[in-house]
């Protein structure tokens, strides 16, 4: 049962697609106060668990901290951060009584989940202009399913997007990319995608190519595709201010950029230098920006990643002026007129989100809306612009598309990647904890930068991270300029990488099928253990294992120098290890705790009692997977329904089919 409460004059975010009548009266479960802004308060019982908030820091259970929905470029990505790149205002309180809350409010919103008072949940923001959805149901999972039912079907990527992708900031030329392709193909490490970061553009201008670095780009795209590799370019939010650059000229003439109070185009600095931001909240601007993607589609491109769309800025002219004045004071005055910390702070505030006093405006219909009122919708609408553009260009084709910043609603248009993490073991675990929360909010096609974006990775971290990441829909190795090289063939034990990534390809028929079941049925692809075993106290407290699809549990090793880990089994399961020599070991383990040995070059998974999982032979790209010869792992007598379709069109109903597979032998 879903009730929708209306406060003040909410902005239409289009997060919810179903028509729900306004509920009368006051919401159950909590108390709403609209005296000063908006505040929802409710009691948390001692053993209530709070799930949700999508791309947020910390645990699967969100209790015990403060989270702020305020899309932020956060390259630091440390444990104390309250805001990350996305804003996903849905949570479920699960206990004796369970209910879900979705606060459809696109400005800054805070969730005090037992932070100030352990027994109290408080959700608050500055203005009481919002929709509050209160959902009750039989269980946490039931509530999630109802929520997913009102926000529309999740984005479905093409099948090739389930392959493995290699990315790095710093590939400059076609030859750089060729070398990476060679590195993979020569070492027979599977690969389906190569990502192109900002260096492919001419002076960081969107929808341009550096032609010296990429002579005859369409031919290069073809050459790569023949080798089973798709190129996936990045698009940044900011459009370079440069006379004669058509995207800039047209956007300016047609008044399609975000504006200052006085109607002039808002300018900030980003990679290209001075930029304007397409006003993607304005449907006309959205259409125009989406149409620009054609430049690359026409050259054979089938996928994109959208970046810098919080939006992220390096500085504005005003900020820089203030900073210069401050520094002049420092240089001219006595050196001790400013502490070193003050100097650091002065540099720090140059970049980051737009501030209220910087009054940037969007044109939404007849209304001019100040940016801070709708801040969390920018990345969502930039990506929606792209998705709608792609749909106009090629209506029955699926494109690969994911974004850095997001809001609920964007899940219908694209996936997300979780932005600039680090080569830290703790970020491997964070990646695991975020995934089910993202799924709750509809973001099924998601993943982190495997191996870590910032800082120098190590062979063992990358191997362990891949052994987890190979279960996630978006599987991509990405790293920052200036860090240790991170392509799999750069390490000592390339055989181990070939094997671990090979396991991904063996599982793609199954993972793709589970993804499609989740997307078509508004289910979660990965879940916390407690969603499957709600009565099990230890399952509720498990923060380092996940259930995937209807068949498996995954439990990666996420500590260095460990030869295995403790794992908790809520019921008997089959412990499966993909061994380096291609063999697969299966062993039944009873319910309870076990220490399981897992070598660095092995991939572990657990098959639930009475279930089975199909595996293919390894392949070097998705197209080469032989789905006619599948082997079943798991319990004798078990059956599995495998979904298959053409992997590229939107005709799920027409081309989708279900294959019944059965493990021989009696149970
Ligand atoms: O200011 O395009 O998170 O994946 O490599 C950094 C360069 C801009 C941030 C993204 C990262 C990407 C990088 N970008």
């Amino acid at each position: 049962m879903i009730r929708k409460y209306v406060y003040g004059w909410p902005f239409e975010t289009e997060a919810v697609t179903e028509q729900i009548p306004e509920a009368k009266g006051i919401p159950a479960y909590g108390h709403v106060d609209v005296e000063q802004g908006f505040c929802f308060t409710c009691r948390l019982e001692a053993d209530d668990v709070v799930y949700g908030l999508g791309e947020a820091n910390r645990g699967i259970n969100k209790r015990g901290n403060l989270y702020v929905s305020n899309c932020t470029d956060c390259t630091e990505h440390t444990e104390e951060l309250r805001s990350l790149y996305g804003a996903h205002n849905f949570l479920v309180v699960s206990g004796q009584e369970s209910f879900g809350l979705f606060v459809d409010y696109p400005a800054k919103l805070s969730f005090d989940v037992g932070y100030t008072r352990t027994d109290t949940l408080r959700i608050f923001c500055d203005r009481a202009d919002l929709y509050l959805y209160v959902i009750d149901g039989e269980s946490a999972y039931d509530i999630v399913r109802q929520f997913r039912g009102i926000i529309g079907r999740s984005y479905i990527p093409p099948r090739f997007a389930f392959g493995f992708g290699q990315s790095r900031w710093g590939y400059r030329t076609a030859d750089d990319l060729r070398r990476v392709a060679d590195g993979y193909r020569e070492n027979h490490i599977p690969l389906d995608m190569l990502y192109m970061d900002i260096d492919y553009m001419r002076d960081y201008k969107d929808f341009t190519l550096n032609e010296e670095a990429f002579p005859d780009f369409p031919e290069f795209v073809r050459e790569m595709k023949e080798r089973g590799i798709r190129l996936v370019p990045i698009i940044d939010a900011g459009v370079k201010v440069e006379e004669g650059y058509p995207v800039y000229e047209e956007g300016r003439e047609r008044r399609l950029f975000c504006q200052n109070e006085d109607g002039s185009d808002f300018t900030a600095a980003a990679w290209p230098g001075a930029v304007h931001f397409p006003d993607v909240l304005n449907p006309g601007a959205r259409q125009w920006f989406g149409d620009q993607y054609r430049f690359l589609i026409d050259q054979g491109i089938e996928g994109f990643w959208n970046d810098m769309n919080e939006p992220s800025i390096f500085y504005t002219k005003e900020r820089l002026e203030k900073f210069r004045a401050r520094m002049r004071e420092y240089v001219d005055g006595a050196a001790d007129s400013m502490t070193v910390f003050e100097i650091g702070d002065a540099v720090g505030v140059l970049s980051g989100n737009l501030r209220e006093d910087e009054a940037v405006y969007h044109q939404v219909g007849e209304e001019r809306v100040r940016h801070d009122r709708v801040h969390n919708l920018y990345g969502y609408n930039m990506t929606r612009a792209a998705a709608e553009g792609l749909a106009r260009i090629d209506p029955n084709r699926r494109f690969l598309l994911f974004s850095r910043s997001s809001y609920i609603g964007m899940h219908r248009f694209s996936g997300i990647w979780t932005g600039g993490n680090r080569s830290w073991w703790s970020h491997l675990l964070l990646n695991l904890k975020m995934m089910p929360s993202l799924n709750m909010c509809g973001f099924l096609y998601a993943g982190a930068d495997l191996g870590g974006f910032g800082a120098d990775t190590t062979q063992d971290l990358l191997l362990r991270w891949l052994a987890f990441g190979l279960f996630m829909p978006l599987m991509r190795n990405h790293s920052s300029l200036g860090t240790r090289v991170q392509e799999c063939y750069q390490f000592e034990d390339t055989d181990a990488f070939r094997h671990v990534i090979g396991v991904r390809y063996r599982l793609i028929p199954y993972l793709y099928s589970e993804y499609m079941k989740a997307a078509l049925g508004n289910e979660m692809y990965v879940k916390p253990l407690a969603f499957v075993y709600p009565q099990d106290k230890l399952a509720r407290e498990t923060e380092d294992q996940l259930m995937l699809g209807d068949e498996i549990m995954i439990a990666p090793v996420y500590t260095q120098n460990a030869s295995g880990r403790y794992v908790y089994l809520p019921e008997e399961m089959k412990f499966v290890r993909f061994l380096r020599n291609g063999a697969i070991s299966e062993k039944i383990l009873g319910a309870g705790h076990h220490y399981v040995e897992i070598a660095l070059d092995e991939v572990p998974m657990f098959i639930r009692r009475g279930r089975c999982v199909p595996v293919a032979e390894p392949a070097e790209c998705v197209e080469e997977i032989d789905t006619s010869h599948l082997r079943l792992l798991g319990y004798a007598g078990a059956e599995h329904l495998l979904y298959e379709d053409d992997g590229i069109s939107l005709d799920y109903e027409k081309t989708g089919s279900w294959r019944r597979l059965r493990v021989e032998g009696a149970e």
Side-chain angles (χ1 to χ4, degrees):
M1 175 73 185
I2 303 183
R3 288 189 189 79
K4 172 184 178 183
Y5 299 91
V6 184
Y7 299 92
W9 303 99
F11 186 87
E12 300 300 332
T13 67
E14 296 177 54
V16 171
T17 50
E18 289 301 302
Q19 293 291 337
I20 297 170
E22 182 180 344
K24 297 287 165 236
I26 52 167
Y29 305 110
H31 172 76
V32 170
D33 189 344
V34 289
E35 289 294 292
Q36 277 184 322
F38 172 90
C39 185
F40 175 93
T41 313
C42 76
R43 201 182 137 76
L44 295 174
E45 302 300 333
D47 52 7
D48 281 349
V49 177
V50 180
Y51 299 102
L53 299 183
E55 185 179 335
N57 234 333
R58 306 180 80 95
I60 291 177
N61 183 353
K62 290 282 173 265
R63 262 189 103 148
N65 229 292
L66 180 64
Y67 308 85
V68 181
S69 285
N70 184 32
C71 298
T72 308
D73 180 356
C74 48
T75 4
E76 284 305 316
H77 226 92
T78 48
E79 189 168 327
E80 80 270 22
L81 286 187
R82 293 188 167 143
S83 307
L84 302 181
Y85 303 94
H88 307 146
N89 305 334
F90 172 58
L91 56 75
V92 172
V93 177
S94 165
Q96 287 297 330
E97 228 179 19
S98 295
F99 58 95
L101 299 169
F102 172 52
V103 187
D104 191 7
Y105 178 73
K108 188 166 146 185
L109 174 71
S110 301
F111 295 86
D112 178 334
V113 191
Y115 169 73
T116 306
R117 287 188 56 94
T118 15
D119 67 353
T120 308
L121 166 69
R122 276 178 67 233
I123 304 173
F124 56 96
C125 55
D126 286 348
R127 306 169 69 107
D129 292 319
L130 54 84
Y131 295 112
L132 171 68
Y133 295 84
V134 181
I135 310 171
D136 44 31
E138 287 157 24
S139 64
Y141 193 40
D142 174 41
I143 290 164
V144 171
R145 268 195 301 237
Q146 290 185 57
F147 178 60
R148 293 276 305 284
I150 65 166
I151 59 174
R153 180 187 278 175
S154 295
Y155 161 76
I156 296 178
R159 187 173 159 96
F160 72 76
F162 285 78
F164 170 67
Q166 177 64 53
S167 183
R168 180 169 172 89
W169 179 8
Y171 300 149
R172 300 183 160 276
T173 64
D175 280 338
D176 287 352
L177 290 157
R178 270 192 197 103
R179 268 191 292 277
V180 182
D182 293 346
Y184 275 91
R185 289 291 180 249
E186 279 161 16
N187 287 287
H188 302 288
I189 304 173
L191 185 74
D192 266 274
M193 282 153 293
L194 272 177
Y195 287 82
M196 299 168 70
D197 209 319
I198 47 176
D199 311 285
Y200 79 85
M201 302 179 204
R202 152 104 40 227
D203 304 325
Y204 305 124
K205 283 184 294 207
D206 279 341
F207 315 113
T208 69
L209 268 162
N210 178 342
E211 277 111 24
E212 284 93 72
F214 294 93
D216 201 351
F217 187 62
E219 180 50 37
F220 179 55
V221 175
R222 237 186 333 268
E223 169 197 325
M224 284 293 161
K225 202 167 165 182
E226 263 159 33
R227 303 176 75 183
I229 299 168
R230 257 96 172 180
L231 295 170
V232 186
I234 197 171
I235 301 293
D236 278 2
V239 168
K240 185 174 173 65
V241 174
E242 186 188 89
E243 299 293 318
Y245 165 41
V247 186
Y248 161 75
E249 296 283 3
E250 206 180 313
R252 193 190 53 180
E253 255 152 57
R254 295 180 49 196
R255 308 196 49 70
L256 300 173
F257 293 123
C258 296
Q259 296 175 0
N260 297 306
E261 183 130 41
D262 65 5
S264 59
D265 291 329
F266 168 72
T267 310
W271 287 108
V275 297
H276 292 332
F277 290 101
D279 186 3
V280 287
L281 271 75
N282 164 352
R286 197 153 69 223
Q287 174 164 7
W288 164 74
F289 193 73
D291 286 342
Q292 306 302 318
Y293 285 74
R294 183 185 282 280
F295 171 76
L296 288 152
I297 303 285
D298 284 348
Q299 309 194 55
I301 291 299
E302 295 168 71
F304 298 90
W305 48 310
N306 282 347
D307 193 20
M308 303 292 277
N309 52 11
E310 293 68 32
S312 172
I313 63 172
F314 294 169
Y315 55 85
T316 61
K317 221 164 80 198
E318 293 70 27
R319 289 186 199 182
L320 195 61
E321 271 318 310
K322 260 195 215 153
F323 173 74
R324 285 209 179 105
R326 212 55 187 111
M327 286 303 113
R328 239 172 260 131
E329 262 172 56
Y330 171 69
V331 173
D332 297 345
D336 57 5
S337 66
M338 224 173 147
T339 68
V340 65
F341 303 107
E342 285 171 303
I343 300 170
D345 289 348
V347 178
V349 296
L350 270 176
S351 65
N353 284 346
L354 300 171
R355 291 192 277 271
E356 266 175 61
D357 59 342
E358 289 170 328
V360 174
Y361 289 87
H362 300 278
Q363 191 67 43
V364 186
E366 294 300 295
E367 212 194 334
R368 274 189 112 199
V369 184
R370 209 172 73 182
H371 179 77
D372 59 299
R373 292 188 56 189
V374 290
H375 172 69
N376 292 336
L377 299 180
Y378 193 85
Y380 162 18
N381 282 287
M382 174 197 175
T383 304
R384 178 175 178 173
E388 290 173 342
L390 298 175
R392 281 191 300 275
I393 294 164
D394 202 341
N396 197 28
R397 172 185 284 273
R398 299 183 221 170
F399 287 90
L400 168 58
L401 181 64
F402 56 88
S403 171
R404 193 169 71 177
S405 189
S406 58
Y407 184 84
I408 293 175
M410 196 191 82
H411 69 284
R412 299 191 298 272
F413 301 99
S414 86
I416 64 169
W417 101 99
T418 57
N421 59 7
R422 295 262 170 129
S423 298
W424 291 346
W425 290 87
S426 61
H427 278 174
L428 159 50
L429 188 55
L430 180 64
N431 181 189
L432 179 148
K433 292 177 185 189
M434 247 186 226
M435 288 302 300
S437 314
L438 284 168
N439 279 207
M440 286 173 68
C441 301
F443 295 98
L444 299 183
Y445 191 75
D449 289 348
L450 303 177
F453 174 70
D456 293 337
T457 202
T458 57
Q459 172 168 278
D460 54 353
L461 175 59
L462 182 55
L463 277 169
R464 293 300 198 194
W465 212 329
L466 290 167
F468 167 70
L470 71 87
F471 290 101
M472 297 306 117
L474 166 57
M475 183 190 185
R476 182 178 78 142
N477 174 347
H478 180 48
S479 56
S480 177
L481 193 71
T483 60
R484 178 183 188 179
V485 288
Q486 198 168 296
E487 296 83 12
C488 297
Y489 56 83
Q490 307 272 16
F491 297 89
E492 221 179 300
D493 191 0
T494 44
D495 287 353
F497 287 95
R498 176 185 321 126
H499 163 62
V500 169
I501 298 173
V503 174
R504 161 70 161 209
Y505 284 72
R506 303 190 73 174
L507 286 169
I508 282 177
Y510 172 70
L511 299 178
Y512 179 74
S513 168
E514 290 308 299
Y515 185 94
M516 293 302 290
K517 284 181 199 168
L520 298 175
N522 293 330
E523 307 270 344
M524 289 165 71
Y525 170 85
V526 279
K527 306 182 197 75
L529 266 56
F531 280 30
V532 178
Y533 307 100
Q535 304 310 329
D536 187 318
K537 179 173 181 305
L538 295 178
R540 276 205 300 278
E541 292 183 8
T542 302
E543 291 266 345
D544 59 358
Q545 304 172 197
L546 297 174
M547 304 307 294
L548 190 158
D550 286 326
E551 285 76 20
I552 65 181
M553 182 177 82
I554 51 178
V557 176
Y558 55 89
T559 45
Q560 192 160 27
N561 300 317
S563 56
R565 59 165 284 175
Y566 281 97
V567 57
Y568 175 65
L569 273 56
E571 62 173 335
E572 179 200 295
M573 292 184 187
K574 225 170 201 184
F575 174 42
V576 175
R577 272 184 310 159
F578 293 88
L579 306 173
R580 185 192 189 109
N581 62 7
I584 300 172
S585 100
E586 293 182 75
K587 179 181 167 192
I588 289 181
L589 296 178
H593 283 99
H594 299 270
Y595 184 86
V596 291
E597 297 277 348
I598 306 157
L600 254 186
D601 56 7
E602 292 173 4
V603 178
M605 73 179 196
F606 298 81
I607 300 181
R608 291 172 65 185
R609 198 187 159 144
R611 317 274 167 126
C612 65
V613 169
V615 287
E617 286 307 308
E620 283 188 41
C621 66
V622 170
E623 251 158 72
E624 284 174 7
I625 298 172
D626 176 4
T627 53
S628 59
H629 294 95
L630 297 174
R631 160 175 173 197
L632 288 168
L633 302 176
Y635 284 83
E639 279 193 354
H640 182 71
L641 271 182
L642 186 74
Y643 175 89
E644 293 171 309
D645 61 18
D646 66 7
I648 196 74
S649 78
L650 301 175
D651 296 329
Y652 315 115
E653 279 76 21
K654 247 190 271 160
T655 76
S657 68
W658 298 91
R659 214 158 111 195
R660 188 176 295 279
L661 305 168
R662 189 162 194 285
V663 185
E664 292 308 313
E667 182 131 20

